[in-house]
Amino acid sequence: MRRRAPVIVLGALLLAGRSLPGQVPVAEYAARRAALGAMTGDGVTVVLGRGEPAHDFETFSQSPDLRYLTGWTQPNAALVLVRTNGAQRELLFVAPRSAAEEVWTGPRPSLADAARMAGLPVRDVREFTATCDSLLAAGNAMRIVGEFRGAATAAGESVTNDRVFLDALAQRHPGARVSQDERSLLLLRARKSAAEIALLRSAIAITVQAHEDVMRMVTPGWNEFEVQALVEYTFRRNGAERPGFTSITGSADNTTTLHYWQNDRPMRDGELLLMDIGASYAGYSADVTRTVPLSGRFTAPQRAIYELVRRAQVAGEQATKIGAPLNAPNEAASEVLARGLVSLGLMESPTATYDCDSTGQRTCRQLGLYYMHGLGHGIGLEVHDPDIAYFSTWSEGSVMTIEPGIYVRRNLAEVLPDTPRNRALLARLQPALATYAGIGVRIEDDYLLTAAGLEWLSKAPREVAEVEAAMQAPRASAPRPRDPALVERYRRALP
Ligand code: GLY
Ligand code: MN
Ligand code: MN
């Protein structure tokens, strides 16, 4: 997509009602900041955006927290809220124009344009640290809202930008009241607004189209990476920014690897293809999985597993009701899976266990041999987004996935701790394992919970007959035309 000159874009933006990317009204961002301030109370609240990637060739994506509060999508920005007796002053710090740096990364809005776009007072980000220092020196309490647990490094550390920033402030201002806050924004982000739901609907529509394009075109002989390429082509040409997570396009035994990412294997007739994919549109990510038979028809064992997973999904859907306990859907789906796996000979009874450590002291449910993940999660600015699950029971405004799966690992014997009880168990399960080994099925859909019930958002072919019909249709030679409405809506909203 071509980059537009900033002045023209700004004009379009103003005409469009001063919305930042994704058409969330500027007033809604202001309301979100006011809600955060009301939760945190008097004092200073700081939210950091992400910095420029370490290398020019790496992709930048904004911190979901700053994007949620401001819509700002450029690197090197930060938000400061100063609340005194309930009155809130707000400052957005952004990178200033720099002809020399723009040679590398493209045009930036001026500070004045940024202020108009964001509907906020704007300062040069080079004043940010000094501003924080002087607010602390004046005796204000400061709260850093962000992420304080990162992925562990090889050395076992877990350091995020927010942690580094907080530690540096605390070191410069011994005795100052500086605290971390991971929870307030999660609670706000859990409940989706109408504008957010509209963006999620677009992300999901693009993702459904990608699934349908693959189902119309794929044939045995394709490599898994061709499926990934077609999926991501469909995403981008419909205006999605990028995949919301690493696309999973695994076939045959690779369907049993939960986060398979290599996507490099020629596919053959008779195999399953599992696609776990999600477009990120204006920052909002879909997350939809389909498992399809490359020959056009499921084999009997594939079909047995598929139908069982689908029944579990229906049980999960039916248990997702306003007021129901949060674990009700997973319990309902697990119950269906367990009973079904018993009837297939893959479990001994719905509550049967195995030794899950080598001492034989600890036992786990046999269901966990084939179903190792949770039933679902919220989606939003992150593919695993804060969800209504932060509250005590299901309530309105949740957009989430329901994604049961069964994965029969061919090397299950190596996965289990080697104990006498497990060896005996494997011997008893052997006939069923021989039938189902290498079959992995996940069915994942996106839903919105409202007072009227659970709305299914990701309407790609899903029942056995629908999937088989899609896969048996004459092969198309090109994807369907892109959806001009989606692309135009996104282009109009670009900063
Ligand atoms: N695609 C990641 C997940 O399903 O949670
Ligand atoms: Mn997924
Ligand atoms: Mn998911």
Side-chain angles (χ1 to χ4, degrees), residues 256-491:
T256 68
T257 300
L258 301 178
H259 283 174
Y260 175 71
W261 53 268
Q262 291 85 349
N263 299 345
D264 182 359
R265 177 186 175 276
M267 302 185 292
R268 288 194 291 261
D269 214 8
E271 296 173 347
L272 291 178
L273 165 65
L274 184 154
M275 298 172 279
D276 184 346
I277 59 172
S280 173
Y281 180 88
Y284 283 79
S285 184
D287 188 7
V288 182
T289 305
R290 288 292 181 269
T291 309
V292 300
L294 285 159
S295 67
R297 199 176 290 282
F298 290 99
T299 64
Q302 290 167 352
R303 182 183 175 124
I305 300 280
Y306 190 96
E307 288 180 333
L308 174 53
V309 172
R310 176 67 189 122
R311 284 202 302 280
Q313 193 185 38
V314 171
E317 290 167 351
Q318 289 172 347
T320 306
K321 291 187 195 138
I322 290 174
L326 289 173
N327 60 356
N330 192 37
E331 283 188 359
S334 297
E335 187 59 32
V336 170
L337 289 177
R339 275 189 277 112
L341 287 165
V342 171
S343 66
L344 297 179
L346 286 163
M347 279 173 62
E348 296 177 299
S349 80
T351 53
T353 60
Y354 68 97
D355 291 339
C356 45
D357 72 17
S358 54
T359 67
Q361 299 296 303
R362 211 163 62 83
T363 57
C364 298
R365 226 179 143 185
Q366 287 178 11
L367 177 61
L369 298 174
Y370 312 105
Y371 170 53
M372 315 77 173
H373 54 75
L375 187 67
H377 51 84
I379 55 172
L381 283 169
E382 292 171 287
V383 63
H384 290 180
D385 210 52
D387 185 24
I388 239 67
Y390 286 86
F391 304 97
S392 54
T393 53
W394 287 99
S395 58
E396 225 177 310
S398 185
V399 185
M400 77 328 244
T401 70
I402 300 179
E403 51 176 306
I406 292 177
Y407 315 90
V408 186
R409 298 283 295 176
R410 200 173 289 282
N411 66 343
L412 189 62
E414 294 168 45
V415 176
L416 289 189
D418 187 17
T419 67
R421 193 165 161 255
N422 284 350
R423 280 197 292 279
L425 170 64
L426 284 166
R428 290 193 297 276
L429 298 181
Q430 196 45 47
L433 287 175
T435 303
Y436 297 104
I439 296 179
V441 172
R442 176 160 64 256
I443 308 174
E444 175 173 27
D445 282 275
D446 301 340
Y447 305 82
L448 166 65
L449 185 58
T450 70
L454 190 66
E455 183 185 352
W456 173 36
L457 302 176
S458 45
K459 294 195 171 116
R462 182 168 63 171
E463 304 303 338
V464 164
E466 295 165 353
V467 171
E468 289 191 340
M471 295 297 291
Q472 284 170 21
R475 297 295 78 191
S477 57
R480 280 175 312 169
R482 64 187 194 158
D483 179 341
L486 282 171
V487 185
E488 270 319 301
R489 212 181 318 147
Y490 185 70
R491 281 162 61 95

